[in-house]
């Protein structure tokens, strides 16, 4: 039997991130061989997507930062909101970047040496990050800028629509 081909040793997945965004006509900046940053215009605001490849772990990490002005003095509301939102997520999680006072969606993906579909997995990871940030942006916005109670802000997002109008 022939040994399995090590796809990841031949390609840097950051190259694939660049290919995905080039195909979508987005501009990106390669920070170093294992990092790339992309700014995209989302439904509500600009988002900054940061990708990092850790070759020793065969792990791709994505962080998606949302531009939201934070007017809260007391951070307890943001941490309560993060806990409530993360309870509802199947993939990834939201955290808070204290240095920039902004929420961030994070997810990591392990890619094994025999996985030939990792470009598809990376594209899927990008789509999930953008979708979750756009879905939760209004919730973060009313809590961070208006000081709304996190449970009250999140309530409409948890309602499930049944049927059609």
């Amino acid at each position: 039997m022939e040994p399995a081909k090590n796809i990841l040793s031949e390609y840097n997945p950051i190259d694939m991130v660049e290919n995905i965004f080039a195909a979508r006509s987005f501009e990106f900046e390669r920070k170093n061989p294992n990092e790339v940053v992309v700014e995209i215009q989302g439904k509500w605001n600009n988002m900054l997507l940061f990708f990092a490849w850790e070759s020793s772990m065969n792990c791709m990490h994505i962080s998606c930062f949302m531009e939201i002005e934070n007017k809260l003095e007391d951070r307890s509301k943001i941490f309560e909101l993060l806990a409530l939102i993360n309870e509802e997520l199947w993939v990834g999680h939201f955290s808070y970047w204290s240095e920039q006072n902004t929420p961030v969606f994070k997810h990591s993906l392990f890619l094994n040496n025999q996985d030939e579909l990792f470009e598809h997995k990376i594209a899927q990871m990008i789509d999930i990050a953008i979708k979750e940030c756009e879905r939760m942006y209004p919730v973060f916005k009313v809590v961070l800028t208006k000081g709304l109670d996190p449970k009250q802000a999140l309530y409409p997002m948890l309602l499930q629509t049944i049927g059609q109008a």
Side-chain angles (χ1 to χ4, degrees):
M1 185 194 287
E2 201 175 302
K5 186 176 164 184
N6 186 339
I7 295 168
L8 297 177
S9 67
E10 296 175 19
Y11 302 104
N12 182 337
I14 293 295
D15 296 335
M16 291 192 187
V17 171
E18 285 185 346
N19 293 341
I20 290 166
F21 282 105
R24 296 179 183 187
S25 300
F26 286 100
E27 292 186 27
F28 48 84
E29 181 183 349
R30 187 82 174 242
K31 296 290 190 180
N32 64 50
N34 292 324
E35 295 178 357
V36 67
V37 177
V38 182
E39 184 172 358
I40 66 165
Q41 175 61 49
K43 181 178 179 179
W44 306 104
N45 72 339
N46 287 342
M47 292 181 276
L48 192 65
L49 284 83
F50 172 79
F51 300 85
W53 171 244
E54 177 53 59
S55 59
S56 67
M57 296 185 339
N58 283 349
C59 185
M60 174 70 74
H61 176 80
I62 181 175
S63 296
C64 186
F65 302 93
M66 297 178 282
E67 291 181 17
I68 302 176
E69 182 183 3
N70 183 357
K71 296 180 180 178
L72 286 180
E73 297 283 328
D74 177 13
R75 289 192 181 167
S76 63
K77 283 187 178 184
I78 188 66
F79 294 119
E80 179 184 353
L81 179 59
L82 290 169
L84 292 169
I85 289 173
N86 285 333
E87 286 177 0
E88 302 299 321
L89 295 179
W90 279 70
V91 176
H93 69 279
F94 280 97
S95 66
Y96 191 74
W97 189 17
S98 298
E99 187 178 305
Q100 295 296 319
N101 288 323
T102 190
V104 58
F105 179 84
K106 295 182 176 184
H107 183 56
S108 295
L109 180 65
F110 291 100
L111 304 170
N112 68 50
N113 292 342
Q114 291 78 35
D115 192 351
E116 294 184 17
L117 299 174
F118 63 89
E119 186 169 1
H120 173 73
K121 287 182 178 182
I122 292 169
Q124 189 176 36
M125 186 169 80
I126 292 166
D127 292 340
I128 289 169
I130 292 169
K131 177 185 156 216
E132 291 298 343
C133 286
E134 288 186 341
R135 184 172 76 103
M136 289 301 158
Y137 180 87
V139 177
F140 281 114
K141 178 101 174 157
V142 296
V143 172
L144 292 174
T145 63
K146 307 286 187 214
L148 191 64
D149 176 73
K151 288 179 185 166
Q152 191 177 6
L154 194 56
Y155 181 75
M157 300 306 289
L158 300 179
L159 293 176
Q160 193 171 29
T161 305
I162 299 173
Q164 294 180 328

